[in-house]
Amino acid sequence: MLGFVLRRLIYMVPTIFLVSIVTFIIIQLPPGDYLDALAAEMGEGGSDNTAIMDSLREQYGLGQPIWVQYYKWITGIVFRGDFGVSFEKNLLVNDLIWDRLGWTFGISIMTLIFIWATALPIGIYSAVKKYSVGDYVATFFGFLGLAIPNFLLALVMMYVAFKYFGQSVGGLVSPEYLDAPWTWDKYVDLFKHIWMPIVVVGTSAAAALIRIMRANLLDELYRPYVVTARAKGMTEFQLLLKYPVRVALNPFISTIGWILPTLVSGEIIVAVVMNLPTTGPMLLRALLVQDMYLAGSLILIVSILTVIGTLISDLLLALIDPRIRYQ
Amino acid sequence: MTYQIRKLPSLRGTLTGVGLALTVCAPAWAYQEAPALADMVAAGSLPPVEERLPSNPLVMDVIEQTGEYGGTLRRAILGGGDQHNMVRTIGSENLVRWDPNWTEVRPNIAESWEVSEDASAFTFKLREGTKWSDGAPFTADDIMFWYEDIFSNPTLTPNKDATFVGANGPVEITKIDDYTVKFDFGSPNGLFIQKMAYGFGYHAAAYPKHYLSQFMEKYNPDIQALIDAEPTAADATQLFNLKAGPMDTPLFWQNPDRPTLHAWHLTNAYGSTDRVVAERNPYYFKVDADGNQLPYMDRITYDQVEDVETILLKTFNGEIDYMLRHIGRPSNKAALTDNMERGQYGFFDVGDLPANIVILMLNLNNQDPVKREVVNNKDFRVGLSHAMNRQEIIDLLYFGAGSPAQTAPREGSELYKEEYAKQFTEYDVDLANEYLDKVMPEKDENGMRIGPDGEPFQLIFLVADVFGLQYPDAMELIAGYAKDVGVDIQVRATDRSRLIELHTSNQQDAYLWNCSGGQADAYTTPICYVPQISNSVSWAREWAAWGVDPSTGEEPPQEVKDIFDAYDQVTTAASPEELKARMEEVLELSMEQFFTIGLVQNDPVFGVARNNVRNVPNPLPIAGQLWFPAPYTAQLYFEGGDNLP
């Protein structure tokens, strides 16, 4: 087991290295650079800004060949933990992202809990009570959750919150708490807002898992081992949780590897619409203006998350499913 | 609650009196200040108001009535690239300013100015005792610091801004005494005072020597320590750019330590937090007619959001006190009207009136000789213009808010002439075909026109989705109208930076854009009337380059050279009457050439202000370099001294 983990950790190094190169190249692929984007935005002022552009190009080292820029970036990260500078914000990437990554993780983990807490019981229920009224209701909402695009759901929920509850929308706290210290009232206000992104991001994932859980469990429920256990006189509830559910959990666990990065980067549009202080809007903005060190660092971190997530799901799978452990 | 603001006289565009020297007398009574500052003075942490104000503070004209102190003006800002949001509210203090109607130049940081007989030299008298926002004195030395160490330094300023360059080259500035400076161009420059009142005139008074000199090797031998302490700078030039970036880049707003002459100064950097906060500058040099030190409002906050729709919802919710940016579009008007009561706000008019908002800019210097030959034929442009159903575009895309027009000065501007605005705007397919038949009579089996080289003729139009002007939708309609008369227009959607890259390297056939020059800015930025190099407008880049330096670019035909000569006469005109006469000549020649095909002149747009916000200029004129309402935001106030609940 230890050897397996160790081997996996070693494999991660070249993977991440390759990802970092590809990331950097992809960000550089669109024509132009940050300064072209800046020039476009400064066009509003109405003058020709070639003067300041020339000196800024020098300042940001944008005139250098791409591999020199990459070398500076990657050695900074490896040896000093320095992710470079965000051109647009003129701040170290380090100063910008950790706070946002914190919020991102917080929301992600709560969303994960929400997904599991809703998908597991509903999935089990609709498998056990197949074709009951409850199953149809759950299925109906499940399909709705799958079909509605997240950003649309976000817009609708924001509108409802605004229209009928008079709530201030956008962001995780009301404007009056924006730069206030963390008090009890601010926490209360936070929880008045934070359920919205959790529900919006969680709904479609939960809907998918309900369907998967239902299908998997249906496969297991009529297996001979279940019949055997029942024949031996186990109570129905105990039996359900101990054997078929455990086997049916497999897809839940093997998708952790994907859920982590999806929650971090996949919900960009929701985060933009709901104005969340997470990494999504920052990444989108960085890509739009070709703020390459910021975008590169965020993508690199998301890639590392995917690799770590995959490792975690492999380990959990081995733990929960004996068939995998002995392979 | 009803919403009332006194209507100001509408825009008239009368020219400023060049050579006019204005002095406003200091009131004889005592000055008053904001209650919060009075407490600080009593506690001894701030000098008394008489010592903070210049000996002769600027007395602002009353917009509506004398205000009350207090409150926070709440706005929203996008997460990146939205620095003009701040530039246009709290930036833009120049030596001189335009009055709130954009008709006349008035004193600002300078208390008066004198113009030499031939309009080649300008002497500005500064207010004695003016102070930066940190309390340090502002004198002629600050202007000289900018001139000698920044403007004249080729490393920091490789290309000079056109405001400070005359026919004989860059301006020469000399210090007469601590409060007097002379700007000398060596040849007439009749537009200089006007230009100084526009955005880029701010350069002369935006560089505090006492603060910025520490970031220069010349003044600070220990600069290496500062470079080492700044992780985002590697050498002295980078350090200086970082600390002293221009106001229209994000850099300026990312250094809250930099002292300014603005009414509010930043307390945190744009982009670093979810809210940008600007606090009252206790040393601001303006007072109202009763001697109350401006600004009235304590703070301005900008909540950072990522999506324009969020700003709209915030407005409905009453979380925005005064704003036109991002929300003042015809498509938002209905929703904003529905929620007026809930958000407790009203509308004011915004005279954002460019020469045209939808212009077909055909590249007259196209690198393809066949396309160049065709688009340079005026009959082709006239034919294409008659093929456009302008009214349909206005009805479908702009909710009927606009009128069919060419790229020309607008009604209400002193340069307006009906024939300029209305020539060839009539929608007439037969007439269009008649003109086009003179250029390309042959058609293929699909009815599309064949070029003079015998090949199918095609124009590739670039289009970017910008300014909320629905260009991609407009372009589809335009391509349809062109097809009706046998002109093949292919549409290529692109983003704005790619578009700029293509047209600055002269690789485009044509694109859709807008153009300033509808009002008084026709004098200073005639980019659609005279070939000029700009980073947004390009329809004859090679000619423009030749116009700057005949050893570069491409020699234009005589008609275009005549326009260059005529505009030279404008820039060297010495009196306002001559200025107007010369500009009319330029327009006459330019309109005859019919360089670009304009489709729509928009109606005034609008902004929203909450019901107790007073002294709102209405209509508020804005334009490319007219960075309004910044010089007048200090006079906004809340009736009752605070935000509505």
Side-chain angles (χ1 to χ4, degrees), chain B residues 377-557:
Chain B
N377 190 327
K378 187 179 165 188
D379 286 333
F380 175 78
R381 300 198 296 273
V382 172
L384 199 56
S385 181
H386 279 302
M388 296 295 137
N389 189 346
R390 292 171 170 80
Q391 194 59 50
E392 187 172 83
I393 293 178
I394 292 165
D395 292 341
L396 289 178
L397 301 181
Y398 303 112
F399 302 88
S403 51
Q406 294 295 352
T407 316
R410 314 195 39 137
E411 215 168 339
S413 147
E414 62 173 13
L415 296 166
Y416 172 76
K417 270 199 186 151
E418 192 183 346
E419 66 257 38
Y420 297 163
K422 295 297 173 192
Q423 64 173 345
F424 320 125
T425 53
E426 190 189 342
Y427 174 54
D428 186 336
V429 175
D430 294 337
L431 192 60
N433 276 316
E434 206 173 293
Y435 274 103
L436 291 170
D437 284 344
K438 294 187 205 169
V439 190
M440 291 187 292
E442 305 291 320
K443 290 185 185 174
D444 66 11
E445 65 275 15
N446 300 323
M448 303 310 279
R449 293 179 189 274
I450 307 270
D453 57 345
E455 297 292 320
F457 181 79
Q458 189 177 64
L459 280 179
I460 294 169
F461 256 85
L462 300 170
V463 60
D465 192 7
V466 288
F467 315 121
L469 286 177
Q470 316 205 33
Y471 282 167
D473 299 333
M475 201 59 235
E476 290 304 324
L477 290 171
I478 291 162
Y481 304 141
K483 195 171 170 231
D484 293 343
V485 293
V487 176
D488 183 6
I489 285 181
Q490 294 295 315
V491 184
R492 298 277 183 277
T494 175
D495 75 326
R496 193 174 172 185
S497 52
R498 168 96 180 133
L499 174 72
I500 291 179
E501 192 179 275
L502 283 173
H503 75 58
T504 48
S505 56
N506 199 26
Q507 288 179 341
Q508 91 284 20
D509 280 355
Y511 71 108
L512 207 60
W513 208 248
N514 56 347
C515 201
S516 55
Q519 305 174 71
D521 51 353
Y523 289 97
T524 49
T525 17
I527 45 179
C528 275
Y529 311 133
V530 180
Q532 285 190 333
I533 289 182
S534 139
N535 65 8
S536 59
V537 170
S538 268
W539 44 268
R541 204 159 189 96
E542 297 295 319
W543 294 347
W546 184 91
V548 177
D549 176 2
S551 68
T552 61
E554 196 176 288
E555 189 175 346

Side-chain angles (χ1 to χ4, degrees), chain B residues 273-289:
Chain B
T273 56
D274 294 335
R275 174 182 277 171
V276 188
V277 180
E279 292 276 354
R280 159 201 306 287
N281 167 9
Y283 295 93
Y284 194 53
F285 62 95
K286 298 181 184 176
V287 297
D288 69 12

Side-chain angles (χ1 to χ4, degrees), chain B residues 59-313:
Chain B
V59 182
M60 294 295 278
D61 9 74
V62 177
I63 291 184
E64 186 184 357
Q65 60 208 28
T66 304
E68 295 170 61
Y69 285 116
T72 298
L73 190 75
R74 296 163 306 162
R75 291 170 65 88
I77 191 166
L78 296 183
D82 199 15
Q83 62 275 359
H84 272 275
N85 197 325
M86 290 173 288
V87 172
R88 286 182 183 275
T89 38
I90 59 175
S92 210
E93 290 292 352
N94 297 6
L95 289 182
V96 292
R97 72 189 149 97
W98 286 98
D99 71 348
N101 306 326
W102 195 13
T103 50
E104 190 186 337
V105 178
R106 302 270 182 85
N108 200 48
I109 295 170
E111 66 181 17
S112 63
W113 69 90
E114 274 165 31
V115 183
S116 67
E117 197 81 350
D118 63 346
S120 70
F122 304 82
T123 310
F124 293 95
K125 179 93 181 67
L126 306 177
R127 292 167 203 281
E128 274 188 62
T130 307
K131 296 185 178 60
W132 293 99
S133 53
D134 62 351
F138 165 80
T139 66
D141 288 333
D142 291 301
I143 294 181
M144 294 314 290
F145 169 70
W146 162 74
Y147 174 66
E148 286 167 355
D149 295 313
I150 299 163
F151 181 75
S152 305
N153 177 337
T155 319
L156 295 177
T157 314
N159 300 312
K160 320 276 184 221
D161 191 276
T163 309
F164 302 102
V165 181
N168 288 11
V171 65
E172 266 184 36
I173 305 180
T174 38
K175 173 180 169 181
I176 311 284
D177 60 44
D178 276 355
Y179 297 99
T180 317
V181 282
K182 185 173 158 196
F183 287 60
D184 196 343
F185 288 92
S187 63
N189 188 353
L191 290 173
F192 181 63
I193 290 294
Q194 283 202 30
K195 285 185 184 171
M196 280 301 276
Y198 282 117
F200 289 95
Y202 84 92
H203 279 282
Y207 294 87
K209 182 178 185 179
H210 70 283
Y211 170 76
L212 289 176
S213 56
Q214 62 175 315
F215 305 114
M216 281 187 162
E217 272 163 321
K218 179 179 163 190
Y219 296 96
N220 183 359
D222 301 325
I223 193 167
Q224 194 56 42
L226 290 174
I227 298 171
D228 294 341
E230 183 52 69
T232 57
D235 61 37
T237 310
Q238 292 186 9
L239 181 70
F240 189 82
N241 280 332
L242 197 64
K243 298 292 181 185
M247 190 153 74
D248 52 328
T249 66
L251 285 163
F252 185 97
W253 305 98
Q254 285 162 346
N255 179 12
D257 297 333
R258 175 183 182 160
T260 69
L261 294 170
H262 302 158
W264 295 268
H265 61 90
L266 291 191
T267 59
N268 60 351
Y270 173 39
S272 64
T273 56
D274 294 335
R275 174 182 277 171
V276 188
V277 180
E279 292 276 354
R280 159 201 306 287
N281 167 9
Y283 295 93
Y284 194 53
F285 62 95
K286 298 181 184 176
V287 297
D288 69 12
D290 295 338
N292 299 305
Q293 189 190 21
L294 296 172
Y296 293 125
M297 290 181 183
D298 295 330
R299 301 198 305 166
I300 297 193
T301 59
Y302 302 84
D303 288 354
Q304 198 167 306
V305 303
E306 302 295 337
D307 186 30
V308 177
E309 302 302 317
T310 315
I311 304 182
L312 212 54
L313 277 179

